[in-house]
Amino acid sequence: MSALVEWSDDLSVGIDEIDEQHKVLVDLLNEFHEAIQQHKGSEVASEILKRLGDYTRIHFAVEESIMRLLDYPDYENHKIEHDSLIDELNELVEKLQSGKKSVNFELLHFLKLWLTKHIRESDAQYTPHFISMGVKTANSPDSSLMGKMWGRIWG
């Protein structure tokens, strides 16, 4: 079966740790897609959607922490986008678990569009700021964002 979202350079923000987290989100979305295609049932799909929501919250917390540490000027707007998706995911999981909504391709399409649009448009906007603050890109000799963060905190 084909993946719903294939990882490609146009989804990369150029910062290894963030790209790795985005790849996990893409993998979870593809796992959700596969569960729907294989008619594994709403219980399995709900469990995958819950994991997607849990990991999304972790990823957003990491991104937001980095944004605050690096004084990202559009932090507030970016956080509003994050909070909006978390609210939508929570609502979807609740509707699925209560039987008010079924798992379908419309839901999957919404998640795919939101994730890819958010990475390509919103997340891509912070890369120049992060680089201007000394964060190394994937092509840098030392591309460790976390090393840079610890250096800023403890340096």
Side-chain angles (χ1 to χ4, degrees):
M1 287 190 187
S2 65
L4 178 69
V5 178
E6 294 283 346
W7 183 261
S8 62
D9 286 346
D10 72 320
L11 288 174
S12 172
V13 297
I15 299 166
D16 286 340
E17 284 89 347
I18 293 174
D19 282 346
E20 290 306 313
Q21 289 183 8
H22 285 162
K23 287 176 185 175
V24 171
L25 291 171
V26 165
D27 288 346
L28 284 165
L29 190 58
N30 285 331
E31 186 179 343
F32 186 60
H33 176 242
E34 186 176 317
I36 292 171
Q37 280 188 320
Q38 294 179 358
H39 306 288
K40 290 193 175 178
S42 62
E43 191 174 304
V44 171
S46 292
E47 186 273 327
I48 296 167
L49 189 60
K50 183 184 178 317
R51 285 191 292 128
L52 178 63
D54 290 345
Y55 193 83
T56 299
R57 279 186 279 284
I58 292 165
H59 168 66
F60 286 173
V62 168
E63 268 190 0
E64 291 166 13
S65 295
I66 296 165
M67 288 177 195
R68 285 191 309 271
L69 281 168
L70 297 178
D71 298 318
Y72 180 57
D74 201 35
Y75 165 76
E76 291 298 330
N77 289 327
H78 205 102
K79 181 161 177 31
I80 288 168
E81 279 189 44
H82 285 173
D83 291 346
S84 174
L85 178 68
I86 293 300
D87 289 346
E88 289 182 68
L89 280 171
N90 288 339
E91 191 177 310
L92 287 169
V93 169
E94 190 177 298
K95 284 179 180 177
L96 286 171
Q97 290 173 341
S98 69
K100 293 179 184 171
K101 181 151 182 79
S102 63
V103 175
N104 59 32
F105 286 99
E106 182 182 337
L107 167 61
L108 193 61
H109 186 67
F110 160 77
L111 292 171
K112 173 189 174 181
L113 283 179
W114 193 95
L115 178 66
T116 56
K117 184 177 190 285
H118 182 75
I119 292 171
R120 287 181 181 127
E121 295 177 12
S122 299
D123 287 354
Q125 290 178 8
Y126 61 59
T127 301
H129 178 77
F130 286 11
I131 292 169
S132 76
M133 299 298 287
V135 172
K136 306 293 186 212
T137 64
N139 298 324
S140 301
D142 173 18
S143 62
S144 171
L145 174 61
M146 293 302 116
K148 177 67 179 166
M149 292 298 96
W150 286 116
R152 285 181 65 84
I153 295 167
W154 301 109

